[in-house]
């Protein structure tokens, strides 16, 4: 879909909240920049996006988002380098995935220029909100939801596309301990697991809380048929190192096609790390933990970047991962964040200058 935008209207906030923010101690996604991008779908088309002050929105109580959960989102980051240049990481991948998600949820797809030009206009206005501190970035949350009203269980006739941003620090502090899920499922064949649909996350909260109550931070989702194969880790894809080989499951109807995941696969291969994209069974991981060939497990995603796992629980037993000197997780995290923050060459052409 193409659409040309010449000028994006910008309505500036009367005052800035930036001086209230402690940029040295940022949490993840809890303070929001002064502006947001807003774009409405009405009468069968997307209207021009506008940059407006970040503020609450008013919706009819019968808006279909509340009843039927028509909502999709994305997660991206903007980084500022030492020269104050601003960089995004593979933003077109996020745009494409947002439309893939929208299509599955019967939400009208967005024109690329509304997403890209809108995002650029927003980041230009809120440039001062992009942190420079190591490990911090401006987390960007594009989302689309059904604002149209009515109790009829059918797609809405009106939608909102918003991009809100939040200067953020790391998502997890330290290593995480995970529980391999054997009862609940995150997604099913033919379902919406591959989409970044809000409801996928709501469905995870209860089983994740049960895992937290047992002392874990995350659930490792397994296939919905027999809970036999490892799929994802909460809001991350998962990588498993057995001896020197890095393994991750293939994407499917049930798994989000993570941008960090596919970047890691390419990066690791280019650095000579043996990578296998194949189904990996819980049995294989448990056996590898028992015989000492399981060296590392880590989650990967935009918010969490690369998040090392300290151990996992399975069938009431805990398995610890070994403490090793130079880990793939550290090496990959550094390589990828150096590319993202313009500290190293970008042989893949992933970095996108604003
Ligand atoms: N899997 C799920 C369920 C996610 O929510 C995310 C986060 O976006 C990922 C994987 C990682 O995807 P990406 O690397 O594109 O952020
Ligand atoms: C991201 O990694 O950007 C995500 O969307 C994860 C989110 C659910 C916190």
């Amino acid at each position: 879909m193409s659409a040309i935008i010449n000028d994006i209207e910008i309505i500036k906030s009367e005052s800035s909240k930036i001086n209230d923010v402690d940029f040295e101690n940022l949490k993840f996604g809890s303070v929001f920049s002064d502006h947001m991008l807003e774009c409405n779908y009405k009468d069968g088309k997307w209207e021009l996006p506008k940059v407006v002050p970040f503020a609450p929105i008013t919706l009819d109580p019968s808006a279909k988002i509340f009843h039927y959960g028509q909502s999709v989102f994305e997660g991206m980051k903007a980084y500022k380098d030492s020269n104050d240049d601003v960089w995004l990481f593979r933003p077109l991948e996020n745009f494409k995935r947002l439309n893939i998600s929208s299509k599955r949820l019967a939400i009208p797809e967005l024109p690329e220029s509304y997403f890209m030009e809108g995002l650029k206009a927003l980041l230009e206005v809120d440039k001062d909100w992009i942190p420079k501190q190591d490990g911090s970035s401006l987390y960007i949350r594009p989302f689309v939801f059904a604002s149209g009203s009515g109790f009829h269980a059918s797609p809405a006739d009106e939608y909102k596309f918003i991009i809100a941003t939040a200067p953020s620090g790391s998502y997890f502090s330290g290593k995480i301990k995970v529980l391999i899920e054997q009862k609940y499922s995150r997604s099913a064949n033919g379902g919406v697991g591959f989409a970044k649909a809000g409801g996928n996350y709501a469905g995870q909260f209860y089983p994740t809380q049960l895992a937290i109550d047992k002392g874990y931070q995350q659930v490792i989702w397994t296939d919905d048929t027999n809970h036999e194969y490892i799929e994802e880790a909460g809001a991350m894809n998962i990588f498993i190192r057995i001896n020197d080989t890095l393994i991750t499951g293939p994407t499917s109807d049930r798994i989000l096609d993570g941008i960090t995941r596919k970047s890691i696969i390419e990066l690791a291969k280019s650095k000579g790390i043996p990578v296998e994209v194949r189904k990996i069974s819980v049995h294989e991981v448990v056996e590898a933990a028992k015989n000492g060939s399981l060296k590392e497990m880590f989650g990967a995603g935009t918010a969490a970047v690369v998040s090392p796992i300290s151990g996992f629980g399975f069938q009431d037993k805990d398995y610890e991962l070994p403490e090793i000197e130079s880990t793939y997780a550290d090496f990959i995290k550094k390589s990828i964040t150096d590319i993202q923050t313009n500290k190293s060459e970008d042989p893949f052409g992933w970095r996108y200058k604003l």
Side-chain angles (χ1 to χ4, degrees):
M1 240 187 296
S2 65
I4 310 286
I5 320 187
N6 293 320
D7 277 315
I8 291 188
E9 189 185 345
I10 294 172
I11 303 168
K12 286 220 174 168
S13 64
E14 279 168 17
S15 59
S16 175
K17 301 167 294 189
I18 200 161
N19 291 332
D20 302 338
V21 179
D22 178 2
F23 278 83
E24 299 299 328
N25 294 294
L26 289 169
K27 297 198 185 92
F28 176 82
S30 55
V31 290
F32 303 97
S33 320
D34 287 330
H35 299 89
M36 63 185 191
L37 187 84
E38 189 173 16
C39 182
N40 294 312
Y41 181 90
K42 262 190 202 146
D43 302 325
K45 65 175 180 51
W46 285 104
E47 297 176 344
L48 285 176
K50 284 182 194 168
V51 174
V52 297
F54 181 91
I57 45 184
T58 304
L59 290 175
D60 192 283
S62 75
K64 295 205 180 190
I65 171 64
F66 297 135
H67 307 275
Y68 306 121
Q70 256 190 306
S71 119
V72 296
F73 71 98
E74 269 304 319
M76 317 166 67
K77 282 175 174 173
Y79 311 87
K80 198 180 268 174
D81 69 17
S82 49
N83 295 322
D84 284 352
D85 284 331
V86 175
W87 302 91
L88 297 170
F89 186 70
R90 311 185 76 177
L92 283 169
E93 296 292 324
N94 295 93
F95 163 70
K96 285 186 214 150
R97 194 172 61 189
L98 185 67
N99 274 349
I100 290 172
S101 301
S102 288
K103 188 169 178 194
R104 180 62 181 84
L105 275 282
I107 293 173
E109 292 168 56
L110 274 162
E112 181 181 314
S113 59
Y114 285 28
F115 183 94
M116 287 305 297
E117 300 307 315
L119 177 60
K120 286 188 219 168
L122 176 67
L123 294 181
E124 186 56 42
V125 172
D126 277 342
K127 202 160 45 191
D128 292 347
W129 286 84
I130 306 171
K132 266 177 108 159
Q133 286 79 358
D134 254 4
S136 296
S137 57
L138 187 74
Y139 185 74
I140 303 170
R141 175 52 65 86
F143 57 108
V144 191
F145 63 91
S147 50
S149 55
F151 289 151
H152 196 276
S154 52
D157 56 0
E158 292 185 5
Y159 295 85
K160 268 187 194 296
F161 164 51
I162 292 178
I163 306 182
T165 67
S168 293
S170 52
Y171 193 76
F172 290 113
S173 53
K175 289 190 175 181
I176 54 171
K177 195 174 155 197
V178 297
L179 179 67
I180 298 183
E181 182 60 56
Q182 291 289 289
K183 177 176 176 194
Y184 297 99
S185 299
R186 175 188 170 273
S187 57
N189 288 329
V192 297
F194 68 92
K196 238 171 131 58
N200 283 341
Y201 299 80
Q204 297 190 62
F205 292 162
Y206 175 67
T208 304
Q209 188 55 50
L210 296 180
I212 291 171
D213 293 344
K214 290 184 185 158
Y216 304 93
Q217 281 90 51
Q218 263 302 342
V219 166
I220 299 288
W221 297 104
T222 49
D223 66 279
D224 61 306
T225 316
N226 297 317
H227 298 289
E228 205 179 334
Y229 294 98
I230 303 277
E231 303 221 309
E232 287 200 79
M236 300 180 289
N237 295 111
I238 183 159
F239 285 83
I240 294 166
R241 172 179 172 187
I242 295 184
N243 291 318
D244 283 339
T245 303
L246 195 56
I247 310 164
T248 190
T251 52
S252 70
D253 266 11
R254 303 183 303 269
I255 298 183
L256 191 83
D257 186 3
I259 297 159
T260 318
R261 171 188 173 278
K262 61 182 161 206
S263 306
I264 290 177
I265 294 171
E266 227 179 305
L267 184 100
K269 283 183 179 166
S270 79
K271 302 283 186 189
I273 295 175
V275 179
E276 289 178 8
V277 178
R278 62 161 172 88
K279 286 165 96 173
I280 178 157
S281 70
V282 178
H283 175 74
E284 183 179 351
V285 175
V286 170
E287 281 311 301
K290 285 184 184 161
N291 69 27
S293 58
L294 180 67
K295 304 293 184 207
E296 286 179 64
M297 289 170 74
F298 57 87
T302 300
V305 197
V306 170
S307 210
I309 291 170
S310 59
F312 66 89
F314 175 64
Q315 291 182 340
D316 297 325
K317 202 167 174 286
D318 279 339
Y319 299 82
E320 295 286 313
L321 272 91
E323 289 286 341
I324 53 177
E325 280 280 301
S326 28
T327 63
Y328 283 176
D330 285 346
F331 173 71
I332 288 169
K333 182 174 181 181
K334 181 166 182 347
S335 308
I336 211 148
T337 49
D338 281 355
I339 293 176
Q340 289 167 332
T341 54
N342 193 29
K343 287 192 186 128
S344 71
E345 290 299 305
D346 174 20
F348 310 97
W350 290 335
R351 211 159 42 215
Y352 183 100
K353 190 162 194 258
L354 215 66

